[in-house]
Amino acid sequence: MLSYALARAALVGSALCVLAAPLAVAASDSELAEIRNEINKVREAYQTRIEALEKRLNDAEAKAQSAQKTAAQAEAAAVGVQSRRSQNSGNPAISLILQGTYANFSEDPETRSIAGFVPGGGEFFPGSRGFSLAESELNIAASVDPYFRGLFTAALTPEDEIEIEEAWIQSLSLGAGFTAKAGRFFSGIGYLNEIHQHAFDFVDFPLAYQAFLGGNYSDDGVQLRWLAPTDLFIEVGTEAGRGRAFPASDRNKNGAASGAVFVHVGDDLGISHSYRAGLSYLHTAPRERSFDDTDSLGNPVVNAFRGNSRLWLADLVYKYAPDGNAQVKNFKLQGEYFWRHESGELGFDDSAGSAQFGALRDAYAARQSGWYVQGVYQFMPRWRAGVRYDRLDSGNAVIGLVQNGAVPGDNFPLLVTGKNPQRASAMLDFSPSEFSRLRLQYARDESRPDGVTDDQIILQYIMSLGAHGAHRF
């Protein structure tokens, strides 16, 4: 009986084991599914957290860049304030610029003029053949008080004449981005106009500046600028002046005789790139703006224009410095376009010469344009190379005295139209330090009325003595 009971129990146990096996397998699958679900949940949770952390990281980096930019602006402002304070410490910043050239021209520079353009009466660089002392500048700048600063620049010309290039005062605390300037100053039109000649990348002015402005355009008057409170550089300015310089003419009148407006926009494009673009307009109303010419027989003639002169300018400057470091290598591309419309009356007087026609006057109108583009590359520290191309369009002048048959057209050789003066230049300069520069320049000038090509080779030195402020962008 006992063995029978044991056998029965063993049989029952075996049966239970057989029945329990599928149940154990079923429990493992459920557990695995549960584990997989937990893993998926954890994975999703971690993915969500990683995305949140990445977003926080991006936001933090953006804030850090913004903070760095703000810090850089604050540092620049602090440097400016410190500079003004140092200038206001009873010791004004005084500097002297010394320049000289050795020039070899294939044509006589004393007979130089630009085909189709009325001479501006300004400085037609480069100067004389051989060795010559170029323009020297004396600069004095200081803060007057917490409200004003002033600057004085006198130029000593190679002809031993002293010219006051700039003498102005400027406000420091108008607020809301406004600054005001009064006195004699280089106009804010264009790009190159506000830069002194010693800071040019080439020895001389572009042809367009010589033809339309006679060099830097400066006037006695007032200027108001507004700098927008934005990350993007936006500057708007307006000027009213006496109209003392070409293309205007000094007039004995109350009020303003010239006016200008300009807009400049600029920004950084990443770390390595930056630009500035601008549009400008200058209006003058010259009276008896005279210039010497010759008639068809070579006798002296005095011509004079009176009327309105309207000049539009567009400028663009692009700079490249790898990783923002311009000390080793950098590149600068610069160009400006000029368009002018003059209308009024043109006087013709050969009384001092042949007296064949006497003093006559009739209508005059002309639309003319010009441009230049240049690129300068610093390929290693202290060494730069650059090229420039200039081109003008003398347009089609309407001379009433010629149209009505009073004076034959060949009596206006300087106003001959249909010409496209041009010039190509290349330069190489070496700067032993930030205070000295040596330059070699070659130019092939095809701007003369007689069409003769002038090959120009110029050696130049520029030395700066004393404290001299930084130049504009």
Side-chain angles (χ1 to χ4, degrees), residues 213-341:
L213 297 173
N216 293 101
Y217 177 71
S218 70
D219 204 358
D220 297 351
V222 294
Q223 179 191 75
L224 182 66
R225 290 177 185 255
W226 177 67
L227 184 63
T230 59
D231 291 338
L232 179 68
F233 172 75
I234 302 175
E235 180 187 59
V236 181
T238 183
E239 300 168 357
R242 174 175 177 164
R244 53 175 287 274
F246 183 87
S249 63
D250 203 356
R251 299 171 56 181
N252 182 19
K253 69 181 291 289
N254 295 319
S258 67
V261 293
F262 53 85
V263 178
H264 299 142
V265 178
D267 201 358
D268 294 331
L269 303 174
I271 299 176
S272 305
H273 310 268
S274 59
Y275 75 94
R276 202 204 80 166
L279 290 174
S280 309
Y281 171 71
L282 172 66
H283 177 262
T284 59
R287 294 293 181 271
E288 304 308 320
R289 190 183 71 197
S290 62
F291 60 96
D292 296 329
D293 203 349
T294 57
D295 61 15
S296 58
L297 302 176
N299 298 308
V301 172
V302 177
N303 294 326
F305 170 76
R306 59 180 301 164
N308 292 298
S309 178
R310 303 174 180 86
L311 177 66
W312 286 262
L313 301 90
D315 62 88
L316 177 64
V317 180
Y318 161 79
K319 293 185 178 182
Y320 169 72
D323 297 324
N325 180 11
Q327 299 298 318
V328 180
K329 294 182 180 180
N330 64 74
F331 174 72
K332 179 182 179 183
L333 180 65
Q334 166 186 334
E336 295 185 72
Y337 177 80
F338 294 65
W339 190 88
R340 182 175 71 181
H341 178 212

Side-chain angles (χ1 to χ4, degrees), residues 69-91:
K69 188 174 183 179
T70 303
Q73 294 174 344
E75 183 179 1
V79 170
V81 171
Q82 182 62 33
S83 176
R84 290 195 293 272
R85 285 179 177 174
S86 63
Q87 293 177 358
N88 197 33
S89 61
N91 296 306

Side-chain angles (χ1 to χ4, degrees), residues 120-190:
E123 298 158 333
F124 280 74
F125 295 101
S128 306
R129 283 170 161 164
F131 295 99
S132 63
L133 180 65
E135 183 179 275
S136 303
E137 288 184 5
L138 175 63
N139 297 280
I140 302 174
S143 294
V144 179
D145 54 28
Y147 311 104
F148 297 99
R149 66 184 294 262
L151 178 143
F152 173 84
T153 301
L156 286 73
T157 69
E159 294 77 22
D160 298 330
E161 298 175 348
I162 298 177
E163 297 179 354
I164 299 177
E165 286 193 340
E166 293 192 280
W168 48 257
I169 59 169
Q170 185 180 38
S171 67
L172 297 176
S173 57
L174 284 184
F178 285 96
T179 58
K181 183 186 290 184
R184 178 173 300 177
F185 51 84
F186 287 165
S187 172
I189 60 173

